[in-house]
Amino acid sequence: MEKRRVVVTGLGTVNPLGNTVAESWAAAKAGQCGIAPITQFDTAGFKCKLAAEVKGFDPEALLGRQESKRMGRFTQFAVAAAREALSDAGFSVEQAEADRCGVILSSGIGGLPTIEAEHTRGLQKGFERVSPYFVPMSIGNMAAGQTAILFGLQGICSCPTTACAGGTNAIGDAFHRIRDGYEDRMLCGGTESCISPLGVGGFASMKALSTAE
């Protein structure tokens, strides 16, 4: 059988250079650097003081107060980028077959800051007092799941967990799904939010981070 041709029709991003494709591309062309002192937590006692954090991201403005409170930061990034990509593509699920539209969205570690915060809360107040949203905010495939639910995409919904290769892995998997006829349209990519004491501490311990000032 002849394999189907696959094309990219829309882009979306939230990253350290900008919270949209236009912002980040303009910053890259201007030679701006996304690396700066860490603001997500107090780095006193840490050798690593720098990170490429997302800046000026307002989840409530993009997603609403109720929705954003129920999502981990990595999921918030994914949903915001997905919305931009779908808009850029001129996509409407009403004009497509929902069960022929899927999501493959990778995350290497999911909601690590949520895991840390809720573990601390459990130690302080008892582990049956952790947030009822703890599990759905922290599990790695929730960015894919929330995106599929919010945009009505009823085909495959998957999350390859392949560390730094995850986003590329997701794009490759989505390519195969379309090429081989399983879906007609795929939303794919990767998301991460692990600039937290445990995340930075773990990578610093394995000598994988810069200690430059």
Side-chain angles (χ1 to χ4, degrees), residues 121-195:
R121 180 175 177 173
L123 288 173
Q124 294 171 345
K125 298 184 177 181
F127 283 95
E128 292 187 349
R129 298 288 300 279
V130 300
S131 169
Y133 297 116
F134 163 57
V135 172
M137 286 176 69
S138 59
I139 55 178
N141 68 313
M142 193 50 68
Q146 287 278 19
T147 300
I149 292 167
L150 285 171
F151 299 110
L153 310 177
Q154 298 176 15
I156 189 175
C157 181
S158 182
C159 173
T161 304
T162 47
C164 298
T168 304
N169 196 152
I171 293 169
D173 287 352
F175 166 82
H176 286 290
R177 297 290 300 187
I178 296 173
R179 186 197 67 178
D180 297 340
Y182 293 101
E183 275 88 17
D184 299 321
R185 297 169 176 84
M186 293 295 300
L187 180 67
C188 58
T191 183
E192 208 71 78
S193 173
C194 57
I195 300 174

